[in-house]
Amino acid sequence: MNNRISPSYSSSGSLIVSVYSAGGAIPIPDALVTVRGSDKDSSGVISVLYSDKSGNTPKITLPTPPAADSEAPGSIKPYATYNIDVDKDGFYPRQFLNVPVFSGITSIQPVNLIPITEYGGESSPPTDSSILESQNPNL
């Protein structure tokens, strides 16, 4: 499933989403992972994946700026950013904004899902868990 991605993205990087609970101790299979573009002009769904029995999604290839963009100073960021939504029945949903993906690199996004029953079945998630925004990488 492809979407309008910036035509200046002539290279590609890879992404694996690793879904687990209990701080990484329990892999979560069959979690729904949706990858979207993070720019206003490319914010549609790019890929819909499910985690396997080890909690990992298949590796997907995503468009990125060329690695050479990181070798020259300037205002062009040498990576692409994507938004990731993770849902699984019985767990609070998670959303990650502006996840960086670099050319020629496989990025792994860890996702710690929190069971709804852990907080007494309350309808709202714990305050620190629903949306996480990645900071710009320190280049």
Side-chain angles (χ1 to χ4, degrees), residues 51-126:
S51 57
D52 62 18
K53 67 181 179 180
S54 64
N56 295 320
T57 63
K59 180 168 42 172
I60 61 168
T61 301
L62 297 167
T64 65
D69 285 359
S70 66
E71 297 172 5
S75 61
I76 298 173
K77 63 180 183 179
Y79 55 90
T81 56
Y82 294 91
N83 295 338
I84 302 169
D85 299 321
V86 181
D87 293 297
K88 173 74 175 169
D89 287 342
F91 293 87
Y92 290 103
R94 301 294 303 265
Q95 184 178 43
F96 296 84
L97 304 177
N98 299 315
V99 174
V101 177
F102 290 83
S103 176
I105 303 290
T106 298
S107 300
I108 298 175
Q109 178 63 52
V111 177
N112 185 35
L113 292 182
I114 298 172
I116 291 173
T117 56
E118 188 171 317
Y119 290 92
E122 296 174 12
S123 60
S124 61

Side-chain angles (χ1 to χ4, degrees), residues 15-40:
L15 175 69
I16 296 172
V17 179
S18 181
V19 186
Y20 54 83
S21 190
I26 302 170
I28 303 295
D30 302 318
L32 174 66
V33 177
T34 305
V35 178
R36 293 180 167 81
S38 64
D39 296 330
K40 184 177 101 174

